[in-house]
Amino acid sequence: MRTSVQELIAKSKDKKSKKIIEKLIPILLFLVASVSVLTTIGIVLTLIIETVTFFTRVPLADFILGTTWLPFANSGAQFGIWPLIVGTLKITGIAIVVAVPIGISAAIYLSEYASDNVRRIVKPVLEVLAGVPTIVYGFFALTFVTPVLQSFFPEIKIFNAISPGIVVGIMIIPMIASLSEDAMSSVPKSIRDGALAMGSTKFEVAWKITVPAALSGIIASVVLGLSRAIGETMIVSLAAGSTPKFDGDFTGSIQTMTAYIVQVSKGDAGYGTTIYYSIYAVGFTLFLFTMAMNILAGYMSKRFREEY
Amino acid sequence: MRYIEQEKVVRRMNGRMVINRIFQGFFMFATALALLALVILLYRIVSQGAGHLSFEFLTNFASRFPEKAGIKAALVGSIWLMAVVAPTSILLGVGSAIYLEEYAKKGRITSFIQMNISNLAGVPSVVFGLLGLTIFVRALALGNSILAAGFTMSLLILPVIIVSAQEAIRSVPRELRDASYGMGATKWQTIVRIILPAAIPGILTGSILALSRAIGETAPLIVVGIPVIIQFLPEGVMDTFTALPMQIYDWSSRPQAEFQTVAAAGIIVLMVVLLFMNSIAVYIRNKFDKSY
């Protein structure tokens, strides 16, 4: 006895289990996909709820306006966020000064000057820099960069803002270089060729054509680098010390928002103490900073994508 | 007959050519500087830590005495952590990617999820630590366990895995799907038998790179409250543990100079693990790099 194809199709269509699977799978996968949304909601809710508890004990105005951060004082602990923000900005500032010129120069070199072979080798090697764990960078800052700096400028302390700032800068170079290079190589070749045909040198093409055309993409890469520098934790925890300061000194120990969270977590602050809740308030501030940066970067890169 | 007067060209262009040369040199120098930083970093760590590497270093527990300090607990702990992170993050990541690429209709909800994923990728890891501390350690009462740390780490690398899996699925050619549907296969059959096998090399490459990031992450583990000095090996996912970067952090932050050598040796072990994982990723990419 032989079954016809039609019968086979009909039989296969009638299988109940198959129908159920086809209906169930999309629902199941939707639930899986919503985990990432739940994570975001979880982060925001956690930060907000614990931060609100913090503000029932420490007035919001003291937190936002205060310029003294002394959480561990036995009597009269002070929670003014500014010293931590200033510490974070010092690190970020130095990192940007290191990473922007080097990163963008590397991007221009790779997209305008380098031959295909050079690009094929240099790009992945640069990416290795991005894959080095931050704890390794922290160790490098503490045991190599700081002593080298000290041999030139003896007034620099073991824990300072300059050395971790430089190393955070090295860490974000590959990010700025590769995102800027992407933006620059998506500038149409015809525009470049037009400029070259008019007698421009390669540098004039890069500087007057490619960079301006890719500007929003380049800015987006810098803003993303900023955001990464603000959120970087281990390099500053190891090499910047733990002295929250509200001043313009770069040579001595400072503290950043991230390093404070690590310091408290390491010391195992008792659950329910004001110090315990303070890490959420600091975390929330950090989250707002990086979120603003990420949204700005997203907006900038969207603008550059629409250009062509 | 020459149409272009060479002398005139040279006279007019020479200055601009020189500027071009100077800047070319500058751009090359900057690129070389970045590469030099990598070379110095690797050289320093190898020259500092290689002397301390030995079989005992791999098989000893942590110790107060630098010469006896070993990395056994951290190495085994990191493997346990990966045993939780790899299945959790790959299942969630690939599932999300399949939903977004194959089922989701282009609309508000989809673009919201997509936007959410890219924003999540920019959240600092220390903030993920706070999430893990609140949800997994306290609310779900998992304590300082492998499971709590593993879940935290899985959420941290989830965006990376989703995005790379999406790219891998998207690059499976339309004709393969159409052929499968043409043969009468259902959507799920097409996904499981055609799309996923074709996308697996891409998915694996992205996942391994994401996992190697998880192996090097320290901040979330510290915030979740993972201890450092552990003199036993975990026996299950509810046990506490320590991991390679935690151990390195502890050694690096000790005041005695001898511990810096120990830390460098630990970093070499960590970097070898990372190098091993990356070479697997490259191997998979090259071996299965089929073009349709």
mmCIF file with all atom_site columns, all heavy atoms in Angstrom, chain A residues 281-292:
data_model
loop_
_atom_site.group_PDB
_atom_site.id
_atom_site.type_symbol
_atom_site.label_atom_id
_atom_site.label_alt_id
_atom_site.label_comp_id
_atom_site.label_asym_id
_atom_site.label_entity_id
_atom_site.label_seq_id
_atom_site.pdbx_PDB_ins_code
_atom_site.Cartn_x
_atom_site.Cartn_y
_atom_site.Cartn_z
_atom_site.occupancy
_atom_site.B_iso_or_equiv
_atom_site.pdbx_formal_charge
_atom_site.auth_seq_id
_atom_site.auth_comp_id
_atom_site.auth_asym_id
_atom_site.auth_atom_id
_atom_site.pdbx_PDB_model_num
ATOM 1  N N   . ALA A 1 281 ? 22.643 55.360 45.649 1.00 0.00 ? 281 ALA A N   1
ATOM 2  C CA  . ALA A 1 281 ? 22.507 56.758 45.234 1.00 0.00 ? 281 ALA A CA  1
ATOM 3  C C   . ALA A 1 281 ? 23.647 57.131 44.286 1.00 0.00 ? 281 ALA A C   1
ATOM 4  O O   . ALA A 1 281 ? 23.431 57.778 43.251 1.00 0.00 ? 281 ALA A O   1
ATOM 5  C CB  . ALA A 1 281 ? 22.503 57.673 46.460 1.00 0.00 ? 281 ALA A CB  1
ATOM 6  N N   . VAL A 1 282 ? 24.872 56.678 44.623 1.00 0.00 ? 282 VAL A N   1
ATOM 7  C CA  . VAL A 1 282 ? 26.013 56.946 43.747 1.00 0.00 ? 282 VAL A CA  1
ATOM 8  C C   . VAL A 1 282 ? 25.834 56.194 42.427 1.00 0.00 ? 282 VAL A C   1
ATOM 9  O O   . VAL A 1 282 ? 26.068 56.746 41.345 1.00 0.00 ? 282 VAL A O   1
ATOM 10 C CB  . VAL A 1 282 ? 27.338 56.555 44.440 1.00 0.00 ? 282 VAL A CB  1
ATOM 11 C CG1 . VAL A 1 282 ? 28.503 56.666 43.479 1.00 0.00 ? 282 VAL A CG1 1
ATOM 12 C CG2 . VAL A 1 282 ? 27.572 57.415 45.663 1.00 0.00 ? 282 VAL A CG2 1
ATOM 13 N N   . GLY A 1 283 ? 25.387 54.938 42.512 1.00 0.00 ? 283 GLY A N   1
ATOM 14 C CA  . GLY A 1 283 ? 25.163 54.143 41.315 1.00 0.00 ? 283 GLY A CA  1
ATOM 15 C C   . GLY A 1 283 ? 24.128 54.777 40.403 1.00 0.00 ? 283 GLY A C   1
ATOM 16 O O   . GLY A 1 283 ? 24.267 54.781 39.183 1.00 0.00 ? 283 GLY A O   1
ATOM 17 N N   . PHE A 1 284 ? 23.094 55.330 41.014 1.00 0.00 ? 284 PHE A N   1
ATOM 18 C CA  . PHE A 1 284 ? 22.044 55.985 40.234 1.00 0.00 ? 284 PHE A CA  1
ATOM 19 C C   . PHE A 1 284 ? 22.599 57.210 39.511 1.00 0.00 ? 284 PHE A C   1
ATOM 20 O O   . PHE A 1 284 ? 22.324 57.436 38.329 1.00 0.00 ? 284 PHE A O   1
ATOM 21 C CB  . PHE A 1 284 ? 20.895 56.375 41.169 1.00 0.00 ? 284 PHE A CB  1
ATOM 22 C CG  . PHE A 1 284 ? 19.639 56.797 40.448 1.00 0.00 ? 284 PHE A CG  1
ATOM 23 C CD1 . PHE A 1 284 ? 19.168 56.071 39.372 1.00 0.00 ? 284 PHE A CD1 1
ATOM 24 C CD2 . PHE A 1 284 ? 18.942 57.921 40.852 1.00 0.00 ? 284 PHE A CD2 1
ATOM 25 C CE1 . PHE A 1 284 ? 18.015 56.448 38.697 1.00 0.00 ? 284 PHE A CE1 1
ATOM 26 C CE2 . PHE A 1 284 ? 17.792 58.314 40.194 1.00 0.00 ? 284 PHE A CE2 1
ATOM 27 C CZ  . PHE A 1 284 ? 17.327 57.573 39.115 1.00 0.00 ? 284 PHE A CZ  1
ATOM 28 N N   . THR A 1 285 ? 23.405 58.007 40.222 1.00 0.00 ? 285 THR A N   1
ATOM 29 C CA  . THR A 1 285 ? 24.025 59.178 39.594 1.00 0.00 ? 285 THR A CA  1
ATOM 30 C C   . THR A 1 285 ? 24.893 58.751 38.410 1.00 0.00 ? 285 THR A C   1
ATOM 31 O O   . THR A 1 285 ? 24.812 59.322 37.316 1.00 0.00 ? 285 THR A O   1
ATOM 32 C CB  . THR A 1 285 ? 24.907 59.926 40.623 1.00 0.00 ? 285 THR A CB  1
ATOM 33 O OG1 . THR A 1 285 ? 24.190 60.013 41.855 1.00 0.00 ? 285 THR A OG1 1
ATOM 34 C CG2 . THR A 1 285 ? 25.270 61.304 40.142 1.00 0.00 ? 285 THR A CG2 1
ATOM 35 N N   . LEU A 1 286 ? 25.700 57.701 38.645 1.00 0.00 ? 286 LEU A N   1
ATOM 36 C CA  . LEU A 1 286 ? 26.556 57.160 37.582 1.00 0.00 ? 286 LEU A CA  1
ATOM 37 C C   . LEU A 1 286 ? 25.722 56.705 36.392 1.00 0.00 ? 286 LEU A C   1
ATOM 38 O O   . LEU A 1 286 ? 26.039 56.979 35.233 1.00 0.00 ? 286 LEU A O   1
ATOM 39 C CB  . LEU A 1 286 ? 27.352 55.988 38.157 1.00 0.00 ? 286 LEU A CB  1
ATOM 40 C CG  . LEU A 1 286 ? 28.203 55.147 37.214 1.00 0.00 ? 286 LEU A CG  1
ATOM 41 C CD1 . LEU A 1 286 ? 29.386 55.944 36.744 1.00 0.00 ? 286 LEU A CD1 1
ATOM 42 C CD2 . LEU A 1 286 ? 28.661 53.872 37.905 1.00 0.00 ? 286 LEU A CD2 1
ATOM 43 N N   . PHE A 1 287 ? 24.625 56.006 36.692 1.00 0.00 ? 287 PHE A N   1
ATOM 44 C CA  . PHE A 1 287 ? 23.729 55.503 35.649 1.00 0.00 ? 287 PHE A CA  1
ATOM 45 C C   . PHE A 1 287 ? 23.177 56.661 34.815 1.00 0.00 ? 287 PHE A C   1
ATOM 46 O O   . PHE A 1 287 ? 23.146 56.589 33.592 1.00 0.00 ? 287 PHE A O   1
ATOM 47 C CB  . PHE A 1 287 ? 22.594 54.720 36.323 1.00 0.00 ? 287 PHE A CB  1
ATOM 48 C CG  . PHE A 1 287 ? 21.581 54.154 35.368 1.00 0.00 ? 287 PHE A CG  1
ATOM 49 C CD1 . PHE A 1 287 ? 21.880 53.050 34.591 1.00 0.00 ? 287 PHE A CD1 1
ATOM 50 C CD2 . PHE A 1 287 ? 20.321 54.724 35.251 1.00 0.00 ? 287 PHE A CD2 1
ATOM 51 C CE1 . PHE A 1 287 ? 20.950 52.518 33.719 1.00 0.00 ? 287 PHE A CE1 1
ATOM 52 C CE2 . PHE A 1 287 ? 19.385 54.203 34.375 1.00 0.00 ? 287 PHE A CE2 1
ATOM 53 C CZ  . PHE A 1 287 ? 19.701 53.100 33.613 1.00 0.00 ? 287 PHE A CZ  1
ATOM 54 N N   . LEU A 1 288 ? 22.755 57.735 35.486 1.00 0.00 ? 288 LEU A N   1
ATOM 55 C CA  . LEU A 1 288 ? 22.211 58.890 34.761 1.00 0.00 ? 288 LEU A CA  1
ATOM 56 C C   . LEU A 1 288 ? 23.268 59.497 33.840 1.00 0.00 ? 288 LEU A C   1
ATOM 57 O O   . LEU A 1 288 ? 22.989 59.821 32.683 1.00 0.00 ? 288 LEU A O   1
ATOM 58 C CB  . LEU A 1 288 ? 21.704 59.958 35.746 1.00 0.00 ? 288 LEU A CB  1
ATOM 59 C CG  . LEU A 1 288 ? 20.445 59.597 36.537 1.00 0.00 ? 288 LEU A CG  1
ATOM 60 C CD1 . LEU A 1 288 ? 20.041 60.754 37.447 1.00 0.00 ? 288 LEU A CD1 1
ATOM 61 C CD2 . LEU A 1 288 ? 19.296 59.242 35.595 1.00 0.00 ? 288 LEU A CD2 1
ATOM 62 N N   . PHE A 1 289 ? 24.496 59.637 34.357 1.00 0.00 ? 289 PHE A N   1
ATOM 63 C CA  . PHE A 1 289 ? 25.586 60.200 33.547 1.00 0.00 ? 289 PHE A CA  1
ATOM 64 C C   . PHE A 1 289 ? 25.808 59.368 32.285 1.00 0.00 ? 289 PHE A C   1
ATOM 65 O O   . PHE A 1 289 ? 25.835 59.901 31.175 1.00 0.00 ? 289 PHE A O   1
ATOM 66 C CB  . PHE A 1 289 ? 26.898 60.225 34.358 1.00 0.00 ? 289 PHE A CB  1
ATOM 67 C CG  . PHE A 1 289 ? 27.128 61.508 35.107 1.00 0.00 ? 289 PHE A CG  1
ATOM 68 C CD1 . PHE A 1 289 ? 26.407 61.786 36.256 1.00 0.00 ? 289 PHE A CD1 1
ATOM 69 C CD2 . PHE A 1 289 ? 28.063 62.424 34.669 1.00 0.00 ? 289 PHE A CD2 1
ATOM 70 C CE1 . PHE A 1 289 ? 26.619 62.960 36.953 1.00 0.00 ? 289 PHE A CE1 1
ATOM 71 C CE2 . PHE A 1 289 ? 28.279 63.611 35.362 1.00 0.00 ? 289 PHE A CE2 1
ATOM 72 C CZ  . PHE A 1 289 ? 27.559 63.870 36.496 1.00 0.00 ? 289 PHE A CZ  1
ATOM 73 N N   . THR A 1 290 ? 25.998 58.053 32.474 1.00 0.00 ? 290 THR A N   1
ATOM 74 C CA  . THR A 1 290 ? 26.319 57.217 31.311 1.00 0.00 ? 290 THR A CA  1
ATOM 75 C C   . THR A 1 290 ? 25.122 57.123 30.368 1.00 0.00 ? 290 THR A C   1
ATOM 76 O O   . THR A 1 290 ? 25.287 57.103 29.149 1.00 0.00 ? 290 THR A O   1
ATOM 77 C CB  . THR A 1 290 ? 26.762 55.803 31.737 1.00 0.00 ? 290 THR A CB  1
ATOM 78 O OG1 . THR A 1 290 ? 25.772 55.271 32.603 1.00 0.00 ? 290 THR A OG1 1
ATOM 79 C CG2 . THR A 1 290 ? 28.084 55.832 32.435 1.00 0.00 ? 290 THR A CG2 1
ATOM 80 N N   . MET A 1 291 ? 23.913 57.058 30.938 1.00 0.00 ? 291 MET A N   1
ATOM 81 C CA  . MET A 1 291 ? 22.729 56.984 30.089 1.00 0.00 ? 291 MET A CA  1
ATOM 82 C C   . MET A 1 291 ? 22.621 58.212 29.185 1.00 0.00 ? 291 MET A C   1
ATOM 83 O O   . MET A 1 291 ? 22.369 58.096 27.986 1.00 0.00 ? 291 MET A O   1
ATOM 84 C CB  . MET A 1 291 ? 21.483 56.866 30.984 1.00 0.00 ? 291 MET A CB  1
ATOM 85 C CG  . MET A 1 291 ? 20.250 56.379 30.269 1.00 0.00 ? 291 MET A CG  1
ATOM 86 S SD  . MET A 1 291 ? 20.596 54.945 29.258 1.00 0.00 ? 291 MET A SD  1
ATOM 87 C CE  . MET A 1 291 ? 19.930 53.681 30.253 1.00 0.00 ? 291 MET A CE  1
ATOM 88 N N   . ALA A 1 292 ? 22.842 59.397 29.781 1.00 0.00 ? 292 ALA A N   1
ATOM 89 C CA  . ALA A 1 292 ? 22.782 60.630 28.986 1.00 0.00 ? 292 ALA A CA  1
ATOM 90 C C   . ALA A 1 292 ? 23.794 60.572 27.851 1.00 0.00 ? 292 ALA A C   1
ATOM 91 O O   . ALA A 1 292 ? 23.491 60.905 26.697 1.00 0.00 ? 292 ALA A O   1
ATOM 92 C CB  . ALA A 1 292 ? 23.046 61.835 29.886 1.00 0.00 ? 292 ALA A CB  1
#
